[in-house]
């Protein structure tokens, strides 16, 4: 499917469904992400803890696309939860990974609650980098 064929709500529901594959772990979020290239074609998915105990959904989707040699510059990532602006488990937050990947649009369903950090959110970092951020609650 291309992004043009799907509306954000449908893709967000799929991202939430992906989050259900996350291995449960106390005090962490379960997140799903779907990555589209600039043409709107779906190129990768990811969910929290898919590859190890601390991996994030956005990180996994970006790594899968890069491993396949897929150009994701100008693309869109759709996430069940706002991409993190800071991480405890790795030195680079998902917002920074998205910026470095050249992704131009982020759509998410739920704000990240200030459970771990009480500072600028992923949204603030993404918008400061000129990325379009769409909060689409479901």
């Amino acid at each position: 499917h291309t992004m043009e064929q799907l509306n954000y709500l449908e893709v967000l529901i799929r991202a939430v469904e992906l989050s259900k594959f996350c291995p449960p772990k106390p005090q962490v979020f379960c997140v799903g992400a779907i990555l589209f290239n600039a043409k709107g074609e779906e190129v990768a998915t990811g969910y929290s803890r898919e590859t190890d105990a601390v991996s994030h959904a956005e990180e996994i989707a970006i790594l899968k696309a890069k491993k396949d040699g897929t150009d994701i510059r100008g693309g869109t990532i759709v996430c069940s939860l706002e991409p993190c602006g800071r991480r405890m488990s790795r030195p680079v937050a998902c917002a920074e990974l998205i910026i470095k990947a050249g992704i131009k649009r982020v759509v998410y369903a739920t704000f990240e609650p200030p459970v771990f950090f009480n500072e600028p959110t992923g949204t603030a970092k993404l918008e400061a980098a000129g990325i379009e951020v769409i909060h689409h609650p479901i």
Side-chain angles (χ1 to χ4, degrees):
H1 298 295
T2 66
M3 183 60 81
E4 290 78 32
Q5 293 169 319
L6 302 169
N7 66 41
Y8 292 136
L9 180 59
E10 291 173 16
V11 181
L12 284 165
I13 290 169
R14 286 187 50 227
V16 170
E17 291 299 316
L18 273 173
S19 74
K20 294 177 182 178
F21 290 101
C22 300
K25 188 177 174 186
Q27 301 180 334
V28 294
F29 301 118
C30 292
V31 181
I34 302 170
L35 180 58
F36 295 83
N37 65 16
K39 295 176 188 174
E41 301 162 331
E42 183 176 321
V43 296
T45 63
Y47 57 86
S48 304
R49 297 174 298 288
E50 182 175 347
T51 58
D52 63 47
V54 295
S55 61
H56 284 195
E58 304 92 329
E59 170 186 35
I60 294 302
I62 290 168
L63 287 173
K64 283 180 184 176
K66 286 184 175 185
K67 184 179 178 186
D68 291 342
T70 303
D71 183 6
I72 56 174
R73 291 171 297 162
T76 298
I77 193 161
V78 178
C79 316
S80 58
L81 181 71
E82 174 184 18
C84 63
R86 183 171 171 203
R87 275 176 90 164
M88 294 167 54
S89 59
R90 298 221 205 284
V92 182
C94 290
E96 295 167 48
L97 294 173
I98 290 166
I99 293 163
K100 288 178 183 177
I103 293 167
K104 293 297 176 195
R105 182 182 304 113
V106 175
V107 181
Y108 66 86
T110 306
F111 287 110
E112 181 178 25
V115 172
F116 302 114
F117 302 107
N118 198 5
E119 57 188 59
T121 64
T123 295
K125 289 185 176 188
L126 293 164
E127 288 177 339
I131 294 172
E132 178 185 10
V133 179
I134 300 168
H135 176 223
H136 193 311
I138 59 171

